[in-house]
Every structure is written in C-alpha cells, then in structure tokens.
C-alpha cells in the first residue's frame, strides 16, 4: 500500500496522468476550465498553464474518459492542439483509457470452470 493520498472516488490502480497542449488558452479560460474539471468524480488533480497552454490532469480512467474532459475544454472555446504529436498522444490516451475501463469492468473467472457465455 502506498502512502499517497488520493481524492475520494479515485482508485490508484486505475489512475492515469495526461499531458496535452491546448490550441488557444487565456487566463480566464484556464481558470474556468480547471474549476469545472476539478470537482468531477474521478479527477485527482488538474493543472492548466495559460502561458504554455498545457493541460496536466490525473484521473481514474475507470470512471472518467478523455472525451468528457475534451468536451469541457471545447465548451470554453478552446480545443486540443492539432500537432501530429498531440494527436498521436490523444489517440494513445483514448486507447489506454478504454483498456483501463474494460479491465475494471471485467469479472474474472476461475480456470477450473467453464468461461461464461456472452
């Protein structure tokens, strides 16, 4: 067991950290976006730097997905940067978020039993 303390609703096993660059961001937008993301269930930490336009967020991927965070960012007139590296990371983040969510919902079965039919 680690000594790290997380917010309620965040499971350390499913915790992921994401670093993305935003397209356009000023101080007012950064404050509004951070204030809306912070209380979401599953969010452990949020940091937005308007100078570098970086969004750094840690969240429980079994509860929250990157699409939900992107929707909030777009609601305030910003978007994810469209550089090839940022698009690559975004695709990778979506893939791993889906894997974490699928693994969290998976019910293991014993090897001496017949697997459940779906």
């Amino acid at each position: 067991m680690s000594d790290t303390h997380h917010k309620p609703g965040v499971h350390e096993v499913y915790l992921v950290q994401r670093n993305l660059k935003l397209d356009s961001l000023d101080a007012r937008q950064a404050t509004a976006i951070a204030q809306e993301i912070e209380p979401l269930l599953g969010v452990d930490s949020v940091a937005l730097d308007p100078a570098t336009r970086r969004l750094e967020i840690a969240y429980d991927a079994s509860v929250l997905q990157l699409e939900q965070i992107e929707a909030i960012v777009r609601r305030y007139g910003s978007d994810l940067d469209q550089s090839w590296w940022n698009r690559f990371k975004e695709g990778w983040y979506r893939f791993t978020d889906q894997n974490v969510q699928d693994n969290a919902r998976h019910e293991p079965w014993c090897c001496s039993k017949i697997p459940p039919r779906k």
Side-chain angles (χ1 to χ4, degrees):
M1 191 80 148
S2 77
D3 293 334
T4 308
H5 299 286
H6 300 287
K7 289 184 178 178
V10 175
H11 298 92
E12 188 173 8
V13 176
Y14 305 124
L15 188 66
V16 294
Q17 294 182 351
R18 306 296 187 221
N19 297 307
L20 292 166
K21 190 169 187 175
L22 299 181
D23 200 19
S24 62
L25 186 70
D26 61 19
R28 182 189 55 77
Q29 287 174 315
T31 304
I33 291 168
Q35 286 177 349
E36 188 165 343
I37 292 175
E38 186 70 35
L40 291 176
L41 183 65
V43 173
D44 197 38
S45 66
V46 175
L48 270 164
D49 184 10
T52 60
R53 301 178 322 198
R54 307 243 353 131
L55 168 65
E56 297 175 1
I57 184 167
Y59 60 92
D60 183 342
S62 68
V63 177
L64 190 64
Q65 296 290 304
L66 186 61
E67 289 85 12
Q68 295 166 302
I69 296 163
E70 286 179 19
I72 293 170
V73 169
R74 286 187 184 113
R75 195 174 318 136
Y76 287 96
S78 188
D79 200 359
L80 297 180
D81 189 51
Q82 293 301 310
S83 67
W84 72 269
W85 180 243
N86 212 50
R87 285 183 289 139
F88 176 80
K89 288 194 310 182
E90 181 184 358
W92 180 256
Y93 291 162
R94 287 178 195 271
F95 175 75
T96 54
D97 283 1
Q98 187 62 49
N99 276 346
V100 169
Q101 191 174 49
D102 291 344
N103 287 335
R105 293 182 179 163
H106 176 71
E107 294 183 25
W109 54 276
C110 179
C111 60
S112 65
K113 294 182 181 177
I114 297 174
R117 302 216 186 261
K118 296 195 179 207

